[in-house]
Amino acid sequence: MSSPPSTGSLSAAQARRITLVAQGFRDTRHQRPTMRTLTRTVERTGLLQIDSVNVLQRAHFMPLFSRMGPYDVGLLDRASGRSPRRLVEYWAHCAAYMPVELWPVMVHRMQYHRGRGHEWFGLPDDPGLPRALLREIEQGGPATARDLDDGLPRTRDNWGWNWSKTKKALEFLFFAGELSVARRNTAFERVYDLPERVIPAPILDQPEPTPLEAARELLRRAARSYGVATEFDLRDYFRMQESPVHREQVATALQSLVDDGELLPVTVEGWRRPAYLQRNVTIPRRVDARALLSPFDPLVWHRERTEALFDFFYRIEIYVPEAKRVHGYYVLPFLLGDRMAARVDLKADRQGRVLHVLGSYAEPGAPERTAPELVESLRELADWLGLDDVRVAGRGDLAPALAAQLRRAG
């Protein structure tokens, strides 16, 4: 059962359940996820953040697994790397796959980066290198920085061709929208190509939205993905503060969405800032989710919001010296019901075909079913990753219960 929100105010529990529904954790899983399933899920998350850390699974694959369950990762490769593309890479949050229809909305951000010039990327103000690279890709087709660096020694005397300068120039062109990313290769390198050979023509040919129209669309999508959010949350979802064109339009665009009735101002129990509720939201009285969450999942990537919603203090410790880590290197929160019940430090041993649980910790008030539910999720994750076994190390207060549950499960 669901109920409409009380006028003007929400409890912390209501805000939490609204967010979980908006993020897709109440959607029915399909027995065999298809491209339609993936599209539905990305409509919920808004985008998929990309990160190169591969100790478990690359970040952009994990939010889909957390919501869809085991799926063929080739679906994402098809959606982002083959025509007609449904997703395209751009700096939409951090590096991210975003719906391809957002390309025109990002034009003002691209123009801003173009206006910053080459020096921002540590290049001299000589446009010769980017122009030469554009010409090479136009004539020779999609290429990585390594391809072009290896293939262009003939002009080394003019612009000092080397991998770093080539890569910097390509990244400048990518940020400026003069190049797009056709796909990632097996080494996880960007394969650059001209936008007209990546973006479907009907999208590329759309009229350029005004800065205000672009800001409204980004805020609208952020609100759809969060359900209820503060102004900062909405701005941060697509990193609007990083582009002055978008940043300057936020207040006006947000007020226009309120005036049009698309967003409703509300207060949320325990939140220090005013919030905005997406129109027509209903609040389920129960959300029975179960998911392991990547550190780069949009449900938890804004740490202050995560703490306000779930009373869950969470930090990535990848860059913390090992001796100073509290929970581990690559720690995933475990969502159970509508609360964070535990966190686990995971590593995939692909050669040994083992999922290692290096540390496991129960959250205060975690329900008794946490260990058996977590074991089910760990076994599902291991199967999806092609691993044969789950092994629990002794670190953490939840480790004995997990190890015992695994023994009982055989």
Side-chain angles (χ1 to χ4, degrees):
M1 295 291 291
S2 301
S3 61
S6 300
T7 303
S9 65
L10 296 169
S11 69
Q14 287 175 321
R16 187 166 58 247
R17 295 196 296 271
I18 288 169
T19 298
L20 289 170
V21 171
Q23 281 285 314
F25 287 101
R26 202 166 178 251
D27 292 344
T28 302
R29 284 189 176 187
H30 295 165
Q31 186 172 6
R32 184 185 177 199
T34 64
M35 188 63 73
R36 181 177 296 179
T37 319
L38 183 146
T39 301
R40 179 191 70 175
T41 304
V42 175
E43 286 177 355
R44 299 293 200 184
T45 64
L47 47 77
L48 300 170
Q49 184 175 342
I50 299 170
D51 189 81
S52 61
V53 175
N54 199 24
V55 66
L56 180 70
Q57 173 62 289
R58 297 201 191 276
H60 45 285
F61 293 115
M62 280 298 298
L64 297 172
F65 170 78
S66 299
R67 292 156 178 79
M68 293 162 43
Y71 71 100
D72 177 5
V73 297
L75 286 174
L76 182 54
D77 293 333
R78 281 171 46 203
S80 61
R82 299 186 198 173
S83 181
R85 286 171 179 79
R86 294 165 172 84
L87 303 174
V88 67
E89 190 171 335
Y90 192 62
W91 207 258
H93 179 75
C94 296
Y97 290 115
M98 67 180 188
V100 71
E101 64 267 20
L102 275 182
W103 185 268
V105 179
M106 293 294 177
V107 165
H108 301 291
R109 188 172 299 188
M110 296 169 185
Q111 292 170 347
Y112 164 69
H113 290 306
R114 195 176 310 148
R116 297 176 75 180
H118 315 128
E119 291 183 354
W120 179 50
F121 281 82
L123 293 166
D125 200 26
D126 184 348
L129 176 57
R131 287 176 183 166
L133 288 168
L134 275 174
R135 193 161 51 247
E136 289 288 335
I137 290 175
E138 180 180 11
Q139 296 173 359
T144 67
R146 189 185 304 273
D147 294 334
L148 294 170
D149 183 55
D150 291 344
L152 294 175
R154 58 192 177 279
T155 56
R156 195 176 290 274
D157 56 330
N158 289 333
W159 300 303
W161 289 87
N162 57 61
W163 194 93
S164 61
K165 285 187 177 181
T166 302
K167 177 64 174 176
K168 288 176 182 178
L170 289 167
E171 285 295 286
F172 167 73
L173 293 167
F174 166 61
F175 271 70
E178 296 185 57
L179 285 178
S180 187
V181 177
R183 63 184 183 279
R184 294 272 184 152
N185 66 11
T186 55
F188 202 59
E189 297 171 314
R190 282 177 174 145
V191 180
Y192 302 91
D193 201 356
L194 303 178
E196 54 265 36
R197 296 200 293 239
V198 174
I199 311 299
I203 292 173
L204 202 61
D205 294 341
Q206 286 179 10
E208 181 182 312
T210 67
L212 180 59
E213 289 169 341
R216 275 176 57 96
E217 183 60 21
L218 293 177
L219 290 172
R220 181 184 290 115
R221 286 175 180 253
R224 185 174 69 193
S225 291
Y226 267 156
V228 59
T230 67
E231 178 182 331
F232 178 86
D233 296 336
L234 297 175
R235 281 191 287 116
D236 182 66
Y237 210 91
F238 288 95
R239 293 291 166 89
M240 298 175 73
Q241 68 271 20
E242 295 182 3
S243 168
V245 177
H246 287 159
R247 184 172 64 237
E248 292 164 4
Q249 299 292 332
V250 167
T252 302
L254 186 57
Q255 186 59 52
S256 72
L257 291 171
V258 171
D259 292 342
D260 291 347
E262 292 193 43
L263 297 181
L264 308 175
V266 294
T267 60
V268 178
E269 177 189 9
W271 290 20
R272 297 194 300 267
R273 300 185 182 100
Y276 299 88
L277 182 70
Q278 188 193 24
R279 180 176 57 190
N280 297 329
V281 161
T282 55
I283 309 167
R285 295 174 184 169
R286 177 186 175 92
V287 175
D288 194 17
R290 189 186 77 189
L292 286 160
L293 303 170
S294 159
F296 304 98
D297 193 292
L299 185 65
V300 296
W301 68 28
H302 178 26
R303 309 311 181 196
E304 182 180 334
R305 177 182 169 88
T306 302
E307 193 167 358
L309 278 172
F310 297 99
D311 193 23
F312 181 74
F313 184 84
Y314 179 56
R315 297 292 183 272
I316 295 179
E317 299 182 76
I318 292 173
Y319 305 110
V320 176
E322 184 174 0
K324 295 184 178 181
R325 290 176 194 145
V326 177
H327 296 106
Y329 179 79
Y330 202 74
V331 176
L332 281 71
F334 178 55
L335 173 67
L336 185 60
D338 67 351
R339 303 302 299 260
M340 300 298 175
R343 63 185 88 198
V344 284
D345 182 19
L346 300 182
K347 180 178 180 179
D349 176 2
R350 295 172 179 84
Q351 185 172 358
R353 301 180 68 84
V354 174
L355 176 62
H356 289 285
V357 185
L358 303 177
S360 47
Y361 309 84
E363 288 300 299
E368 291 185 6
R369 63 190 179 105
T370 296
E373 295 278 8
L374 179 52
V375 163
E376 286 299 312
S377 289
L378 290 168
R379 289 166 66 111
E380 183 180 58
L381 175 62
D383 288 345
W384 179 58
L385 294 175
L387 307 175
D388 298 330
D389 197 8
V390 179
R391 296 180 189 169
V392 179
R395 181 159 51 87
D397 63 318
L398 191 56
L402 281 186
Q405 184 65 35
L406 277 168
R407 288 193 297 270
R408 283 194 293 271

